[in-house]
């Protein structure tokens, strides 16, 4: 028996199609001369790394999707640029994390000496060892080191879960929890839903309860970006967000927020782009939440029997 509320499947499909179409149409901006002139270096590099992560799973789930070639080409061109390694390390606060992500997310057609040198430098300066790392940074480093295929001395995923906020979250109030830390812990443990997160049945049930409670909280607050992450985290923990009450509410909220051209127009209701926003201002407001929603719906639909909805569907209007 189908337990999904009426109209939810169509709303979810429209959300998936719309956000992929928006990314497909607008990714070129990140590789343009205008973006290099208009965007600060660190947000620009972060946006390209996020796009590379999306394309990695997009190509794995739907390699023939008509919306994929444009963003994939942007990523490949960025990784081939001779100045990109310098931009990756421009901000000392993020240089080592960005270097590791740069190596881990390199597209197949852009392998170069720079991608091989980065992990060696990180190993030499001790970044691929456990010392002086918060539990969350330790887990993130382990995830990208494994993705890059480099040797390291980092703790096991089981040990990293035991030290994580997720492991003790059920004893804390929802308002005390960091949504990004909770969701990214789930993503890294489960490789964004492509492997078992390694939790016992009791741990998984507690984690699902925490994530569902956070989803309800973020839906009430109109937090679009966080809600997309939490919908994906539900899936990564073995739940179907189209059948959980909080997941269904989150998907409906995101579908209602979708702009006519397929964007989620900001991180939240209170941070949405103004109607008078310039194209660049709108892009900067919409990019992260739209990308995150596209990734969430790609993975959720990619793991379901019906497969990914095609990009021929309309993204106009609101489905309730």
């Amino acid at each position: 028996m189908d337990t999904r509320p009426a109209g939810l499947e169509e709303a979810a499909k429209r959300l998936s199609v719309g956000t992929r179409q928006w990314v497909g149409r607008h990714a070129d901006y990140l590789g343009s001369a205008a973006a290099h002139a208009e965007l600060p270096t660190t947000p620009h590099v972060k946006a390209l790394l996020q796009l590379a992560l999306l394309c990695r799973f997009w190509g794995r789930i739907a390699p023939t999707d008509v919306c994929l070639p444009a963003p994939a080409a942007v990523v490949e061109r960025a990784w081939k640029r001779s100045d990109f390694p310098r931009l990756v390390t421009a901000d000392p606060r993020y240089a080592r994390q960005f270097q590791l992500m740069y190596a881990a997310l390199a597209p197949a057609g852009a392998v170069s000496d720079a991608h091989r040198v980065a992990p060696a430098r990180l190993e030499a300066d001790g970044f691929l060892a456990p010392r002086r790392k918060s539990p969350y940074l330790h887990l993130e480093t382990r995830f990208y080191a494994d993705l890059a295929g480099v040797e390291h001395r980092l703790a096991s995923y089981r040990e990293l879960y035991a030290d994580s906020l997720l492991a003790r979250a059920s004893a804390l109030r929802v308002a005390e929890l960091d949504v990004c830390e909770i969701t990214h812990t789930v993503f890294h443990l489960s490789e964004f839903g492509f492997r078992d997160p390694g939790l016992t049945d009791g741990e998984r049930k507690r984690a699902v309860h925490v994530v569902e409670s956070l989803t309800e909280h973020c839906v009430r607050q109109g937090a679009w970006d966080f809600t997309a992450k939490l919908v994906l985290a539900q899936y990564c923990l073995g739940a179907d967000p189209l059948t959980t009450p909080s997941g269904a509410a989150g998907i409906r909220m995101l579908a209602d927020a979708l702009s006519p051209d397929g964007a989620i127009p900001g991180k939240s209701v209170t941070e949405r782009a103004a109607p008078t926003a310039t194209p660049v201002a709108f892009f900067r407001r919409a990019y992260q939440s739209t990308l995150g929603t596209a990734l969430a719906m790609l993975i959720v639909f990619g793991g379901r029997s019906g497969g990914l909805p095609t990009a021929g569907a309309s993204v106009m209007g609101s489905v309730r």
Side-chain angles (χ1 to χ4, degrees), residues 11-12 14-15 250-259 264 317-319:
R14 187 170 59 87
L15 187 60
I251 289 168
R252 284 188 181 279
M253 181 182 73
L254 290 167
D256 286 345
L258 204 66
S259 70
I264 304 296
S318 174
V319 177

mmCIF file of all heavy atoms in Angstrom, residues 11-12 14-15 250-259 264 317-319:
data_model
loop_
_atom_site.group_PDB
_atom_site.id
_atom_site.type_symbol
_atom_site.label_atom_id
_atom_site.label_comp_id
_atom_site.label_asym_id
_atom_site.label_seq_id
_atom_site.Cartn_x
_atom_site.Cartn_y
_atom_site.Cartn_z
ATOM 1 N N ALA A 11 5.416 16.383 -6.289
ATOM 2 C CA ALA A 11 6.189 17.499 -5.739
ATOM 3 C C ALA A 11 7.670 17.150 -5.678
ATOM 4 O O ALA A 11 8.531 17.969 -6.016
ATOM 5 C CB ALA A 11 5.667 17.861 -4.351
ATOM 6 N N ALA A 12 7.985 15.936 -5.243
ATOM 7 C CA ALA A 12 9.380 15.506 -5.140
ATOM 8 C C ALA A 12 10.033 15.431 -6.518
ATOM 9 O O ALA A 12 11.191 15.833 -6.694
ATOM 10 C CB ALA A 12 9.447 14.150 -4.439
ATOM 11 N N ARG A 14 9.176 17.152 -9.181
ATOM 12 C CA ARG A 14 9.345 18.519 -9.676
ATOM 13 C C ARG A 14 10.545 19.184 -9.010
ATOM 14 O O ARG A 14 11.304 19.927 -9.646
ATOM 15 C CB ARG A 14 8.063 19.307 -9.400
ATOM 16 C CG ARG A 14 8.039 20.698 -9.999
ATOM 17 C CD ARG A 14 6.640 21.303 -9.896
ATOM 18 N NE ARG A 14 6.220 21.384 -8.517
ATOM 19 C CZ ARG A 14 6.498 22.410 -7.715
ATOM 20 N NH1 ARG A 14 7.220 23.411 -8.176
ATOM 21 N NH2 ARG A 14 6.067 22.430 -6.472
ATOM 22 N N LEU A 15 10.734 18.889 -7.739
ATOM 23 C CA LEU A 15 11.871 19.427 -7.006
ATOM 24 C C LEU A 15 13.182 18.888 -7.567
ATOM 25 O O LEU A 15 14.147 19.633 -7.779
ATOM 26 C CB LEU A 15 11.719 19.042 -5.534
ATOM 27 C CG LEU A 15 12.698 19.617 -4.527
ATOM 28 C CD1 LEU A 15 12.631 21.142 -4.507
ATOM 29 C CD2 LEU A 15 12.397 19.048 -3.143
ATOM 30 N N GLY A 250 9.185 18.290 4.737
ATOM 31 C CA GLY A 250 10.354 18.979 4.217
ATOM 32 C C GLY A 250 10.353 19.061 2.706
ATOM 33 O O GLY A 250 10.657 20.111 2.120
ATOM 34 N N ILE A 251 10.003 17.970 2.051
ATOM 35 C CA ILE A 251 9.962 17.957 0.585
ATOM 36 C C ILE A 251 8.880 18.898 0.073
ATOM 37 O O ILE A 251 9.087 19.639 -0.899
ATOM 38 C CB ILE A 251 9.749 16.517 0.079
ATOM 39 C CG1 ILE A 251 11.031 15.699 0.315
ATOM 40 C CG2 ILE A 251 9.365 16.488 -1.393
ATOM 41 C CD1 ILE A 251 10.873 14.217 0.128
ATOM 42 N N ARG A 252 7.727 18.905 0.728
ATOM 43 C CA ARG A 252 6.660 19.830 0.320
ATOM 44 C C ARG A 252 7.108 21.287 0.489
ATOM 45 O O ARG A 252 6.864 22.122 -0.378
ATOM 46 C CB ARG A 252 5.399 19.585 1.145
ATOM 47 C CG ARG A 252 4.627 18.352 0.736
ATOM 48 C CD ARG A 252 3.295 18.308 1.469
ATOM 49 N NE ARG A 252 2.551 17.118 1.111
ATOM 50 C CZ ARG A 252 1.831 16.994 0.006
ATOM 51 N NH1 ARG A 252 1.788 17.985 -0.862
ATOM 52 N NH2 ARG A 252 1.178 15.880 -0.249
ATOM 53 N N MET A 253 7.762 21.582 1.603
ATOM 54 C CA MET A 253 8.230 22.950 1.826
ATOM 55 C C MET A 253 9.227 23.373 0.754
ATOM 56 O O MET A 253 9.148 24.479 0.209
ATOM 57 C CB MET A 253 8.870 23.065 3.211
ATOM 58 C CG MET A 253 9.367 24.482 3.516
ATOM 59 S SD MET A 253 10.188 24.628 5.120
ATOM 60 C CE MET A 253 11.739 23.790 4.784
ATOM 61 N N LEU A 254 10.167 22.491 0.424
ATOM 62 C CA LEU A 254 11.160 22.809 -0.601
ATOM 63 C C LEU A 254 10.511 22.972 -1.974
ATOM 64 O O LEU A 254 10.872 23.867 -2.744
ATOM 65 C CB LEU A 254 12.233 21.720 -0.636
ATOM 66 C CG LEU A 254 13.157 21.676 0.579
ATOM 67 C CD1 LEU A 254 13.956 20.375 0.603
ATOM 68 C CD2 LEU A 254 14.103 22.872 0.585
ATOM 69 N N ALA A 255 9.540 22.125 -2.287
ATOM 70 C CA ALA A 255 8.839 22.237 -3.568
ATOM 71 C C ALA A 255 8.061 23.545 -3.653
ATOM 72 O O ALA A 255 7.994 24.185 -4.708
ATOM 73 C CB ALA A 255 7.909 21.039 -3.770
ATOM 74 N N ASP A 256 7.469 23.954 -2.541
ATOM 75 C CA ASP A 256 6.742 25.220 -2.522
ATOM 76 C C ASP A 256 7.681 26.412 -2.659
ATOM 77 O O ASP A 256 7.280 27.471 -3.158
ATOM 78 C CB ASP A 256 5.936 25.349 -1.231
ATOM 79 C CG ASP A 256 4.703 24.454 -1.202
ATOM 80 O OD1 ASP A 256 4.307 23.946 -2.273
ATOM 81 O OD2 ASP A 256 4.137 24.259 -0.112
ATOM 82 N N ALA A 257 8.922 26.263 -2.190
ATOM 83 C CA ALA A 257 9.897 27.355 -2.264
ATOM 84 C C ALA A 257 10.510 27.491 -3.649
ATOM 85 O O ALA A 257 11.096 28.530 -3.970
ATOM 86 C CB ALA A 257 11.013 27.118 -1.243
ATOM 87 N N LEU A 258 10.395 26.458 -4.474
ATOM 88 C CA LEU A 258 11.061 26.425 -5.776
ATOM 89 C C LEU A 258 10.641 27.618 -6.633
ATOM 90 O O LEU A 258 9.457 27.896 -6.806
ATOM 91 C CB LEU A 258 10.684 25.121 -6.493
ATOM 92 C CG LEU A 258 11.619 24.588 -7.567
ATOM 93 C CD1 LEU A 258 12.948 24.165 -6.982
ATOM 94 C CD2 LEU A 258 10.963 23.418 -8.292
ATOM 95 N N SER A 259 11.625 28.324 -7.186
ATOM 96 C CA SER A 259 11.333 29.457 -8.068
ATOM 97 C C SER A 259 10.936 28.941 -9.449
ATOM 98 O O SER A 259 11.158 27.766 -9.773
ATOM 99 C CB SER A 259 12.562 30.356 -8.179
ATOM 100 O OG SER A 259 13.582 29.713 -8.922
ATOM 101 N N ILE A 264 16.122 27.042 -5.399
ATOM 102 C CA ILE A 264 15.710 27.311 -4.020
ATOM 103 C C ILE A 264 16.330 28.676 -3.711
ATOM 104 O O ILE A 264 17.549 28.798 -3.628
ATOM 105 C CB ILE A 264 16.229 26.242 -3.041
ATOM 106 C CG1 ILE A 264 15.784 24.839 -3.460
ATOM 107 C CG2 ILE A 264 15.745 26.553 -1.627
ATOM 108 C CD1 ILE A 264 14.285 24.606 -3.442
ATOM 109 N N GLY A 317 4.903 26.413 -11.014
ATOM 110 C CA GLY A 317 3.758 26.228 -10.130
ATOM 111 C C GLY A 317 4.128 25.493 -8.857
ATOM 112 O O GLY A 317 5.277 25.177 -8.590
ATOM 113 N N SER A 318 3.112 25.233 -8.046
ATOM 114 C CA SER A 318 3.306 24.581 -6.752
ATOM 115 C C SER A 318 2.370 23.394 -6.643
ATOM 116 O O SER A 318 1.190 23.492 -6.963
ATOM 117 C CB SER A 318 3.003 25.578 -5.624
ATOM 118 O OG SER A 318 3.057 24.954 -4.386
ATOM 119 N N VAL A 319 2.913 22.259 -6.228
ATOM 120 C CA VAL A 319 2.099 21.053 -6.065
ATOM 121 C C VAL A 319 1.822 20.872 -4.596
ATOM 122 O O VAL A 319 2.738 20.798 -3.783
ATOM 123 C CB VAL A 319 2.848 19.826 -6.625
ATOM 124 C CG1 VAL A 319 2.027 18.578 -6.394
ATOM 125 C CG2 VAL A 319 3.139 20.003 -8.092
#
